Every structure is written in C-alpha cells, then in structure tokens.
Amino acid sequence: MRSSNHLIGMVNFLTFLLSIPILGGGIWLSSRANSTDCLRFLQWPLIVIGISIMVVSLAGFAGACYRNKFLMWLYLVAMLLIIAALIGFIIFAYAVTDKGSGRIVLNRGYLDYYLQDYSGWLKDRVSDDGYWGKISSCIRDSGACRKIGRNFNGVPESADMFFQRSLSPVESGCCKPPSDCGYAYGNETFWTQGGGLVGANPDCMLWNNEQSMLCYQCSACKAGVLGSLKKSWRKVSVINIVVLIILVIFYVIAYAAYRNVKRIDNDEPAGEARMTKSHPSHFHL
C-alpha cells in the first residue's frame, strides 16, 4: 500500500514539473503577442492548461501523502480532461497553421509572403479589418521595422547586403514592399519606384515611405503575421507533444497504482483499514 502511495506521489511531483514547460510556452507566446505576433488570445489556452496541471498535480500529491482516495480519483479524472484539452489544442494549432509559407525570391536571402497562400480560420481573423487595425498598431508600436536598420562603422548597409539578409516574416511583409513591385532600395524602410512600371500586385500601391505607414496595410503584412504565428505555434507544439507523451505515460502509471491501492484497501479488514487511515502516511522522496 505504502509503495503505491509513494509511486502516485512521485508521479504527481513529476507531473507538476511537466507543467512548467507548458506554462513557459504560454508565457513565451504572450511575450511575442506584445511585440512580434501581436495576437493576444492564442497564449491563454496554454497558460490555463499549465496552471491546471500544477493545481491538479498538487491535489494528487496531497491525496498520495494522506491516502485520500477521493483526491487521487479527482486527480485521475481531472488529468484525463487536461490531457484531452492538450490534445485538442495541439490538433487545433496544427490545423489552423497547416497551409501557407513564404515564397523563395531569386537572389534574395529572405522570403516574400502572400496572403492568398494562407486559408482558414486564422487567416479570416487576422484579415478582419477591425482586428487588423489592432494588430497593425501593435506592430508599429513594437518598432519592428525601426529595428530592421543596420549600420557598419557608421555606414548604412548597401542594397546587396540587405538582399542577402534573412528577415523575419513580419519584417519581410510589413517593412518593405513586395519584391515583385520593382521598387529600388534606398534603405531598409525607404524604397523608390524603379525605372519600369510598378508591379500588378495591389500591395505595390499601398507601400508608403512614411515610417508610420510603410506596408502596414498590405496583404503581405497580414501574411507575414500569419507566417510568424505559424513558426511560433509549431515551436510550442513540438514541446507540447513531448510533454503530452510523458503525461500519458505518467497517467497510466498513476492509474495502475490507484487501482492497486483500491484492491489492497478492499482486501483489508474494515477495522484495520480505518485504523491505518486515521494515521496518514507521509510521502518521502
């Protein structure tokens, strides 16, 4: 009996530790929501799941220490729901970021982003005029385009140097005109019309060298945000999948130990069981 309680307690302690990377992933998404991705609701499911795992693990730990079968049962039921929620979040994250990626541009180190390459719920949400107003303001206020400038010994980088840079999706979509517009490089955020005609891309007419305008209203900027979200979500999802696998293994171990505790309790004489339960065991690592 005591060994089963100790096993459940150990599993709950390790489960508590597993909540840290999930909570950390939510906090990381939250930090990006305030600076890069500018989408402020996506991190909350992860944060809620992480906190829930912490609370449920503590309840299961207490149940193992004091041989409280109700808390053990509550841990198993609640953790099953949390595992289901985590599976649902992972599936949702992959589903809404399944389509779309940057396009390779000839003789450029960065990718160009086009809104028509994306589809689904996330694209519709980002493209909504009312919602995009908040996102574009967030990107502008974060100074993402202002930070794109580089100097070497006081000399601004040349066009050739800029063209070989690896830009983030937001920098590529929001801070410069699309490559097919044919604009000539002045500096990172200042471009002029070349000798030829401006490209047929509607974003070409939306580009503005005014630093508060740039390409913040371009479809390319919206696509850049979607591309940035896809990268962020995929990174967090990899961690979540690893944690999910370990959680399932721990859950199976805890369930088997709980069944063993119930079996032993049912085999004990009633008086002995009551006497033992009046002196709760303490869990020692």
Side-chain angles (χ1 to χ4, degrees):
M1 163 68 82
R2 183 169 298 176
S3 62
S4 294
N5 285 340
H6 288 181
L7 180 60
I8 295 175
M10 176 65 74
V11 167
N12 278 282
F13 177 73
L14 294 176
T15 302
F16 177 85
L17 295 181
L18 278 177
S19 68
I20 296 176
I22 295 179
L23 190 58
I27 294 173
W28 180 71
L29 284 178
S30 179
S31 67
R32 289 183 64 84
N34 294 324
S35 58
T36 306
D37 297 338
C38 289
L39 223 55
R40 291 187 171 89
F41 70 95
L42 301 175
Q43 72 276 10
W44 291 115
L46 268 186
I47 292 176
V48 170
I49 290 174
I51 293 175
S52 298
I53 292 176
M54 281 187 171
V55 173
V56 171
S57 298
L58 289 175
F61 189 82
C65 287
Y66 295 100
R67 292 185 60 185
N68 188 316
K69 287 195 294 184
F70 173 74
L71 287 179
M72 295 182 193
W73 175 84
L74 182 64
Y75 162 81
L76 291 173
V77 173
M79 191 56 66
L80 183 62
L81 296 176
I82 290 173
I83 289 174
L86 186 57
I87 292 173
F89 180 81
I90 292 172
I91 294 174
F92 173 76
Y94 272 93
V96 299
T97 59
D98 179 52
K99 295 182 179 179
S101 60
R103 297 185 188 179
I104 296 175
V105 184
L106 185 64
N107 297 324
R108 298 291 187 269
Y110 50 78
L111 304 175
D112 271 3
Y113 293 83
Y114 294 85
L115 191 59
Q116 59 265 35
D117 293 342
Y118 295 85
S119 62
W121 171 84
L122 194 57
K123 173 191 175 183
D124 295 338
R125 186 167 182 85
V126 169
S127 300
D128 179 78
D129 291 338
Y131 207 70
W132 178 249
K134 298 177 182 178
I135 297 176
S136 59
S137 296
C138 170
I139 296 172
R140 187 184 304 111
D141 295 341
S142 71
C145 294
R146 184 174 62 252
K147 299 171 186 175
I148 200 176
R150 286 185 181 177
N151 288 290
F152 297 91
N153 297 322
V155 179
E157 67 177 341
S158 65
D160 290 337
M161 295 172 65
F162 177 79
F163 291 152
Q164 297 309 311
R165 283 177 61 178
S166 178
L167 302 178
S168 71
V170 170
E171 290 172 342
S172 178
C174 305
C175 306
K176 68 170 188 61
S179 300
D180 57 9
C181 291
Y183 279 85
Y185 176 86
N187 62 37
E188 293 86 355
T189 57
F190 188 90
W191 299 71
T192 57
Q193 292 186 14
L197 296 175
V198 175
N201 189 334
D203 284 350
C204 300
M205 301 304 297
L206 294 175
W207 169 259
N208 193 316
N209 284 316
E210 175 61 41
Q211 296 301 294
S212 62
M213 300 289 291
L214 298 180
C215 217
Y216 294 130
Q217 298 306 315
C218 297
S219 295
C221 190
K222 299 174 183 178
V225 170
L226 290 170
S228 182
L229 284 170
K230 181 175 182 176
K231 286 187 174 182
S232 300
W233 279 36
R234 289 298 171 89
K235 288 178 181 178
V236 172
S237 291
V238 170
I239 298 174
N240 289 343
I241 290 173
V242 174
V243 171
L244 175 64
I245 293 172
I246 300 174
L247 270 180
V248 170
I249 294 173
F250 284 172
Y251 183 86
V252 172
I253 295 173
Y255 178 75
Y258 174 74
R259 289 288 301 271
N260 188 52
V261 169
K262 284 188 64 178
R263 180 182 59 79
I264 294 175
D265 274 356
N266 291 336
D267 290 341
E268 288 175 349
E272 181 182 346
R274 285 195 296 269
M275 184 179 297
T276 304
K277 292 174 184 176
S278 67
H279 300 286
S281 60
H282 297 280
F283 176 73
H284 300 283
L285 288 177

